Amino acid sequence: MTAATFRALHQNRANGDPLVLPGPWDAASARAFVEAGYPALATPSAGIAASLGYEDGSTPPDEMFAAVARIARAVAVPVSADVEGGYGLPPRELVGRLLDAGAVGCNLEDSVEHSTLKDPQWHAQWLAEVRAEAGDDLFINARVDTFLVGTGDPDDAVARARLYAAAGADCVYPIMAPAEVIPLLRAGIEGPLNLVGTPEKEAVAELARLGATRITFGPQLQWHAQRATAELAARLRG
């Protein structure tokens, strides 16, 4: 699978028909999502961290890339990888490791350790360097953390999104944006818009109505599976 295949899934989508991307945390969950009919996958860094026994944000880069490689190798659909803030790797090395792992896309966030927003101009320049190294071989999803660790100002989110798109991002991802500001974001941001959903059909439908181009779930599917496993274990013990 190629980035062109993955990029095409985001283009010319009808209003109310977003690309829904489940987040596998290992090869088995990836296969389950593909068998259910999903055309592509987007790994969640937090879900992979949990599966490897780490706290979110603490996975060693080598282990994260190895996990992504196992997932990509297990399925015949495009896989995008959440690689957090890039692990401090130079753009050339980051791109090389993503491609070596079999990823056709990546999430790159604009905060440090989930606590402080990066300078948007600096981050846009860094994204431009990643794009220059990747050419068309990676779909770049630029996460905007204004609503996660910033002020929550929609104008800041729109300004960051525009900078990142101008730097070469294929899609922008204002994570945790409240439903009431999504119409403002949709009006102010051209191009694909990634929104985070919850794993309920009604929630996905509402994000579709509000203008999502694609919907991801972060680690929530892994959490759901973990709860189901805990319930099964309790029943067996009882």
Side-chain angles (χ1 to χ4, degrees):
M1 287 295 173
T2 66
T5 301
F6 188 54
R7 192 171 283 114
L9 291 173
H10 296 75
Q11 296 170 347
N12 301 316
R13 301 201 69 88
N15 291 337
D17 179 32
L19 174 64
V20 178
L21 295 175
W25 53 94
D26 60 13
S29 59
R31 289 192 182 110
F33 292 134
V34 172
E35 288 168 4
Y38 291 95
L41 306 173
T43 69
S45 61
I48 288 179
S51 76
L52 297 175
Y54 295 104
E55 295 295 323
D56 185 20
S58 299
T59 308
D62 286 351
E63 293 196 43
M64 182 63 76
F65 287 113
V68 170
R70 287 191 293 271
I71 289 168
R73 188 169 58 242
V75 296
V77 302
V79 174
S80 182
D82 182 350
V83 288
E84 304 175 277
Y87 307 115
L89 298 174
R92 177 171 295 181
E93 183 177 354
L94 175 61
V95 169
R97 297 197 70 170
L98 282 162
L99 295 177
D100 287 347
V104 300
C106 61
N107 277 14
L108 295 169
E109 60 197 42
D110 68 345
S111 65
V112 179
E113 297 181 350
H114 300 175
S115 62
T116 306
L117 285 173
K118 297 176 183 178
D119 175 79
Q121 296 286 348
W122 181 93
H123 189 62
Q125 178 58 41
W126 181 75
L127 287 174
E129 293 171 10
V130 174
R131 169 54 70 209
E133 291 292 344
D136 292 332
D137 291 339
L138 277 178
F139 183 100
I140 298 175
N141 188 36
R143 206 177 85 177
V144 177
D145 286 0
T146 298
F147 302 102
L148 184 65
V149 299
T151 63
D153 180 1
D155 290 338
D156 176 74
V158 168
R160 286 173 177 270
R162 288 175 173 173
L163 278 173
Y164 305 159
D170 297 280
C171 183
V172 293
Y173 178 19
I175 189 171
M176 306 304 292
E180 62 268 20
V181 306
I182 291 174
L184 297 174
L185 300 177
R186 180 68 282 177
I189 299 170
E190 294 185 10
L193 180 66
N194 187 163
L195 296 174
V196 65
T198 56
E200 291 85 30
K201 191 171 184 179
E202 296 79 11
V204 170
E206 178 63 6
L207 291 179
R209 185 187 68 81
L210 291 171
T213 309
R214 82 181 211 178
I215 298 173
T216 52
F217 303 93
Q220 294 183 75
L221 303 181
Q222 189 270 334
W223 293 345
H224 181 85
Q226 185 172 332
R227 288 193 297 270
T229 301
E231 292 168 2
L232 173 61
R235 289 198 303 274
L236 289 172
R237 185 172 177 80

PDB file of all heavy atoms in Angstrom, residues 60-84:
ATOM      1  N   PRO A  60       9.531   3.822  24.343  1.00  0.00           N
ATOM      2  CA  PRO A  60      10.792   4.072  23.636  1.00  0.00           C
ATOM      3  C   PRO A  60      10.568   4.052  22.123  1.00  0.00           C
ATOM      4  O   PRO A  60       9.814   3.199  21.615  1.00  0.00           O
ATOM      5  CB  PRO A  60      11.688   2.909  24.089  1.00  0.00           C
ATOM      6  CG  PRO A  60      11.106   2.469  25.397  1.00  0.00           C
ATOM      7  CD  PRO A  60       9.616   2.662  25.248  1.00  0.00           C
ATOM      8  N   PRO A  61      11.201   4.956  21.395  1.00  0.00           N
ATOM      9  CA  PRO A  61      10.965   5.015  19.946  1.00  0.00           C
ATOM     10  C   PRO A  61      11.175   3.683  19.234  1.00  0.00           C
ATOM     11  O   PRO A  61      10.379   3.321  18.360  1.00  0.00           O
ATOM     12  CB  PRO A  61      11.970   6.071  19.470  1.00  0.00           C
ATOM     13  CG  PRO A  61      12.180   6.941  20.664  1.00  0.00           C
ATOM     14  CD  PRO A  61      12.078   6.048  21.851  1.00  0.00           C
ATOM     15  N   ASP A  62      12.234   2.937  19.601  1.00  0.00           N
ATOM     16  CA  ASP A  62      12.484   1.671  18.915  1.00  0.00           C
ATOM     17  C   ASP A  62      11.293   0.728  19.064  1.00  0.00           C
ATOM     18  O   ASP A  62      10.923   0.019  18.116  1.00  0.00           O
ATOM     19  CB  ASP A  62      13.738   1.005  19.473  1.00  0.00           C
ATOM     20  CG  ASP A  62      15.021   1.692  19.028  1.00  0.00           C
ATOM     21  OD1 ASP A  62      14.944   2.574  18.146  1.00  0.00           O
ATOM     22  OD2 ASP A  62      16.089   1.341  19.558  1.00  0.00           O
ATOM     23  N   GLU A  63      10.692   0.713  20.253  1.00  0.00           N
ATOM     24  CA  GLU A  63       9.554  -0.176  20.477  1.00  0.00           C
ATOM     25  C   GLU A  63       8.315   0.309  19.737  1.00  0.00           C
ATOM     26  O   GLU A  63       7.512  -0.501  19.253  1.00  0.00           O
ATOM     27  CB  GLU A  63       9.282  -0.317  21.973  1.00  0.00           C
ATOM     28  CG  GLU A  63      10.401  -1.038  22.726  1.00  0.00           C
ATOM     29  CD  GLU A  63       9.968  -1.506  24.099  1.00  0.00           C
ATOM     30  OE1 GLU A  63       8.842  -2.036  24.212  1.00  0.00           O
ATOM     31  OE2 GLU A  63      10.747  -1.317  25.047  1.00  0.00           O
ATOM     32  N   MET A  64       8.143   1.625  19.643  1.00  0.00           N
ATOM     33  CA  MET A  64       6.991   2.151  18.904  1.00  0.00           C
ATOM     34  C   MET A  64       7.096   1.814  17.425  1.00  0.00           C
ATOM     35  O   MET A  64       6.135   1.322  16.815  1.00  0.00           O
ATOM     36  CB  MET A  64       6.879   3.663  19.092  1.00  0.00           C
ATOM     37  CG  MET A  64       5.678   4.287  18.396  1.00  0.00           C
ATOM     38  SD  MET A  64       4.090   3.684  19.030  1.00  0.00           S
ATOM     39  CE  MET A  64       4.010   4.597  20.596  1.00  0.00           C
ATOM     40  N   PHE A  65       8.255   2.040  16.827  1.00  0.00           N
ATOM     41  CA  PHE A  65       8.407   1.735  15.405  1.00  0.00           C
ATOM     42  C   PHE A  65       8.284   0.234  15.154  1.00  0.00           C
ATOM     43  O   PHE A  65       7.718  -0.188  14.129  1.00  0.00           O
ATOM     44  CB  PHE A  65       9.743   2.266  14.891  1.00  0.00           C
ATOM     45  CG  PHE A  65       9.784   3.763  14.735  1.00  0.00           C
ATOM     46  CD1 PHE A  65      10.608   4.532  15.537  1.00  0.00           C
ATOM     47  CD2 PHE A  65       8.994   4.405  13.798  1.00  0.00           C
ATOM     48  CE1 PHE A  65      10.651   5.912  15.410  1.00  0.00           C
ATOM     49  CE2 PHE A  65       9.030   5.786  13.649  1.00  0.00           C
ATOM     50  CZ  PHE A  65       9.856   6.543  14.465  1.00  0.00           C
ATOM     51  N   ALA A  66       8.776  -0.583  16.074  1.00  0.00           N
ATOM     52  CA  ALA A  66       8.652  -2.032  15.918  1.00  0.00           C
ATOM     53  C   ALA A  66       7.187  -2.461  15.978  1.00  0.00           C
ATOM     54  O   ALA A  66       6.757  -3.339  15.216  1.00  0.00           O
ATOM     55  CB  ALA A  66       9.473  -2.754  16.990  1.00  0.00           C
ATOM     56  N   ALA A  67       6.416  -1.848  16.879  1.00  0.00           N
ATOM     57  CA  ALA A  67       4.985  -2.175  16.971  1.00  0.00           C
ATOM     58  C   ALA A  67       4.249  -1.770  15.707  1.00  0.00           C
ATOM     59  O   ALA A  67       3.398  -2.511  15.202  1.00  0.00           O
ATOM     60  CB  ALA A  67       4.380  -1.486  18.191  1.00  0.00           C
ATOM     61  N   VAL A  68       4.564  -0.598  15.189  1.00  0.00           N
ATOM     62  CA  VAL A  68       3.944  -0.153  13.934  1.00  0.00           C
ATOM     63  C   VAL A  68       4.290  -1.114  12.810  1.00  0.00           C
ATOM     64  O   VAL A  68       3.438  -1.479  11.990  1.00  0.00           O
ATOM     65  CB  VAL A  68       4.393   1.282  13.599  1.00  0.00           C
ATOM     66  CG1 VAL A  68       3.953   1.671  12.179  1.00  0.00           C
ATOM     67  CG2 VAL A  68       3.845   2.278  14.616  1.00  0.00           C
ATOM     68  N   ALA A  69       5.540  -1.562  12.772  1.00  0.00           N
ATOM     69  CA  ALA A  69       5.964  -2.483  11.717  1.00  0.00           C
ATOM     70  C   ALA A  69       5.198  -3.800  11.789  1.00  0.00           C
ATOM     71  O   ALA A  69       4.808  -4.361  10.752  1.00  0.00           O
ATOM     72  CB  ALA A  69       7.471  -2.732  11.813  1.00  0.00           C
ATOM     73  N   ARG A  70       4.967  -4.307  13.006  1.00  0.00           N
ATOM     74  CA  ARG A  70       4.212  -5.559  13.135  1.00  0.00           C
ATOM     75  C   ARG A  70       2.781  -5.387  12.631  1.00  0.00           C
ATOM     76  O   ARG A  70       2.225  -6.270  11.971  1.00  0.00           O
ATOM     77  CB  ARG A  70       4.207  -6.022  14.598  1.00  0.00           C
ATOM     78  CG  ARG A  70       5.544  -6.568  15.072  1.00  0.00           C
ATOM     79  CD  ARG A  70       5.414  -7.248  16.425  1.00  0.00           C
ATOM     80  NE  ARG A  70       5.093  -6.318  17.493  1.00  0.00           N
ATOM     81  CZ  ARG A  70       6.002  -5.655  18.218  1.00  0.00           C
ATOM     82  NH1 ARG A  70       7.303  -5.799  17.951  1.00  0.00           N
ATOM     83  NH2 ARG A  70       5.635  -4.847  19.188  1.00  0.00           N
ATOM     84  N   ILE A  71       2.189  -4.243  12.936  1.00  0.00           N
ATOM     85  CA  ILE A  71       0.820  -3.969  12.486  1.00  0.00           C
ATOM     86  C   ILE A  71       0.769  -3.855  10.965  1.00  0.00           C
ATOM     87  O   ILE A  71      -0.075  -4.466  10.294  1.00  0.00           O
ATOM     88  CB  ILE A  71       0.279  -2.700  13.170  1.00  0.00           C
ATOM     89  CG1 ILE A  71       0.027  -2.983  14.659  1.00  0.00           C
ATOM     90  CG2 ILE A  71      -0.988  -2.207  12.485  1.00  0.00           C
ATOM     91  CD1 ILE A  71      -0.234  -1.739  15.489  1.00  0.00           C
ATOM     92  N   ALA A  72       1.680  -3.050  10.402  1.00  0.00           N
ATOM     93  CA  ALA A  72       1.677  -2.847   8.951  1.00  0.00           C
ATOM     94  C   ALA A  72       1.930  -4.150   8.204  1.00  0.00           C
ATOM     95  O   ALA A  72       1.358  -4.388   7.126  1.00  0.00           O
ATOM     96  CB  ALA A  72       2.728  -1.805   8.575  1.00  0.00           C
ATOM     97  N   ARG A  73       2.772  -4.991   8.777  1.00  0.00           N
ATOM     98  CA  ARG A  73       3.101  -6.269   8.133  1.00  0.00           C
ATOM     99  C   ARG A  73       1.919  -7.241   8.171  1.00  0.00           C
ATOM    100  O   ARG A  73       1.797  -8.128   7.322  1.00  0.00           O
ATOM    101  CB  ARG A  73       4.312  -6.872   8.846  1.00  0.00           C
ATOM    102  CG  ARG A  73       4.903  -8.102   8.186  1.00  0.00           C
ATOM    103  CD  ARG A  73       6.252  -8.479   8.802  1.00  0.00           C
ATOM    104  NE  ARG A  73       6.157  -8.736  10.236  1.00  0.00           N
ATOM    105  CZ  ARG A  73       6.793  -8.033  11.175  1.00  0.00           C
ATOM    106  NH1 ARG A  73       7.550  -6.993  10.827  1.00  0.00           N
ATOM    107  NH2 ARG A  73       6.688  -8.349  12.452  1.00  0.00           N
ATOM    108  N   ALA A  74       1.028  -7.058   9.138  1.00  0.00           N
ATOM    109  CA  ALA A  74      -0.060  -8.014   9.354  1.00  0.00           C
ATOM    110  C   ALA A  74      -1.265  -7.785   8.464  1.00  0.00           C
ATOM    111  O   ALA A  74      -2.141  -8.658   8.379  1.00  0.00           O
ATOM    112  CB  ALA A  74      -0.506  -7.970  10.817  1.00  0.00           C
ATOM    113  N   VAL A  75      -1.348  -6.625   7.807  1.00  0.00           N
ATOM    114  CA  VAL A  75      -2.549  -6.284   7.045  1.00  0.00           C
ATOM    115  C   VAL A  75      -2.182  -5.787   5.653  1.00  0.00           C
ATOM    116  O   VAL A  75      -1.050  -5.355   5.410  1.00  0.00           O
ATOM    117  CB  VAL A  75      -3.400  -5.219   7.778  1.00  0.00           C
ATOM    118  CG1 VAL A  75      -3.915  -5.764   9.096  1.00  0.00           C
ATOM    119  CG2 VAL A  75      -2.609  -3.936   7.994  1.00  0.00           C
ATOM    120  N   ALA A  76      -3.167  -5.811   4.771  1.00  0.00           N
ATOM    121  CA  ALA A  76      -2.957  -5.384   3.387  1.00  0.00           C
ATOM    122  C   ALA A  76      -3.718  -4.097   3.096  1.00  0.00           C
ATOM    123  O   ALA A  76      -4.220  -3.905   1.982  1.00  0.00           O
ATOM    124  CB  ALA A  76      -3.376  -6.478   2.427  1.00  0.00           C
ATOM    125  N   VAL A  77      -3.811  -3.215   4.100  1.00  0.00           N
ATOM    126  CA  VAL A  77      -4.427  -1.900   3.911  1.00  0.00           C
ATOM    127  C   VAL A  77      -3.435  -0.842   4.404  1.00  0.00           C
ATOM    128  O   VAL A  77      -2.503  -1.166   5.145  1.00  0.00           O
ATOM    129  CB  VAL A  77      -5.772  -1.777   4.686  1.00  0.00           C
ATOM    130  CG1 VAL A  77      -6.754  -2.847   4.240  1.00  0.00           C
ATOM    131  CG2 VAL A  77      -5.535  -1.821   6.192  1.00  0.00           C
ATOM    132  N   PRO A  78      -3.617   0.422   4.012  1.00  0.00           N
ATOM    133  CA  PRO A  78      -2.703   1.464   4.478  1.00  0.00           C
ATOM    134  C   PRO A  78      -2.760   1.635   5.996  1.00  0.00           C
ATOM    135  O   PRO A  78      -3.838   1.579   6.606  1.00  0.00           O
ATOM    136  CB  PRO A  78      -3.211   2.725   3.766  1.00  0.00           C
ATOM    137  CG  PRO A  78      -3.999   2.234   2.603  1.00  0.00           C
ATOM    138  CD  PRO A  78      -4.605   0.941   3.047  1.00  0.00           C
ATOM    139  N   VAL A  79      -1.596   1.870   6.588  1.00  0.00           N
ATOM    140  CA  VAL A  79      -1.479   2.099   8.028  1.00  0.00           C
ATOM    141  C   VAL A  79      -0.781   3.428   8.263  1.00  0.00           C
ATOM    142  O   VAL A  79       0.324   3.661   7.763  1.00  0.00           O
ATOM    143  CB  VAL A  79      -0.693   0.964   8.719  1.00  0.00           C
ATOM    144  CG1 VAL A  79      -0.444   1.301  10.198  1.00  0.00           C
ATOM    145  CG2 VAL A  79      -1.434  -0.356   8.587  1.00  0.00           C
ATOM    146  N   SER A  80      -1.446   4.299   9.018  1.00  0.00           N
ATOM    147  CA  SER A  80      -0.841   5.547   9.463  1.00  0.00           C
ATOM    148  C   SER A  80      -0.432   5.378  10.916  1.00  0.00           C
ATOM    149  O   SER A  80      -1.127   4.714  11.694  1.00  0.00           O
ATOM    150  CB  SER A  80      -1.834   6.704   9.319  1.00  0.00           C
ATOM    151  OG  SER A  80      -1.239   7.929   9.706  1.00  0.00           O
ATOM    152  N   ALA A  81       0.684   5.977  11.300  1.00  0.00           N
ATOM    153  CA  ALA A  81       1.243   5.764  12.629  1.00  0.00           C
ATOM    154  C   ALA A  81       1.273   7.066  13.427  1.00  0.00           C
ATOM    155  O   ALA A  81       1.747   8.094  12.942  1.00  0.00           O
ATOM    156  CB  ALA A  81       2.663   5.214  12.522  1.00  0.00           C
ATOM    157  N   ASP A  82       0.768   6.994  14.653  1.00  0.00           N
ATOM    158  CA  ASP A  82       0.911   8.106  15.590  1.00  0.00           C
ATOM    159  C   ASP A  82       2.290   8.004  16.215  1.00  0.00           C
ATOM    160  O   ASP A  82       2.559   7.097  17.006  1.00  0.00           O
ATOM    161  CB  ASP A  82      -0.177   8.021  16.662  1.00  0.00           C
ATOM    162  CG  ASP A  82      -0.127   9.171  17.655  1.00  0.00           C
ATOM    163  OD1 ASP A  82       0.856   9.932  17.635  1.00  0.00           O
ATOM    164  OD2 ASP A  82      -1.066   9.297  18.448  1.00  0.00           O
ATOM    165  N   VAL A  83       3.166   8.928  15.863  1.00  0.00           N
ATOM    166  CA  VAL A  83       4.524   8.928  16.425  1.00  0.00           C
ATOM    167  C   VAL A  83       4.741  10.166  17.289  1.00  0.00           C
ATOM    168  O   VAL A  83       5.840  10.720  17.364  1.00  0.00           O
ATOM    169  CB  VAL A  83       5.605   8.793  15.328  1.00  0.00           C
ATOM    170  CG1 VAL A  83       5.603   7.388  14.761  1.00  0.00           C
ATOM    171  CG2 VAL A  83       5.426   9.815  14.215  1.00  0.00           C
ATOM    172  N   GLU A  84       3.654  10.591  17.945  1.00  0.00           N
ATOM    173  CA  GLU A  84       3.708  11.649  18.948  1.00  0.00           C
ATOM    174  C   GLU A  84       4.405  12.892  18.391  1.00  0.00           C
ATOM    175  O   GLU A  84       4.012  13.386  17.340  1.00  0.00           O
ATOM    176  CB  GLU A  84       4.347  11.083  20.223  1.00  0.00           C
ATOM    177  CG  GLU A  84       3.578   9.845  20.716  1.00  0.00           C
ATOM    178  CD  GLU A  84       4.206   9.162  21.892  1.00  0.00           C
ATOM    179  OE1 GLU A  84       5.135   8.358  21.700  1.00  0.00           O
ATOM    180  OE2 GLU A  84       3.740   9.413  23.011  1.00  0.00           O
TER     181      GLU A  84
END
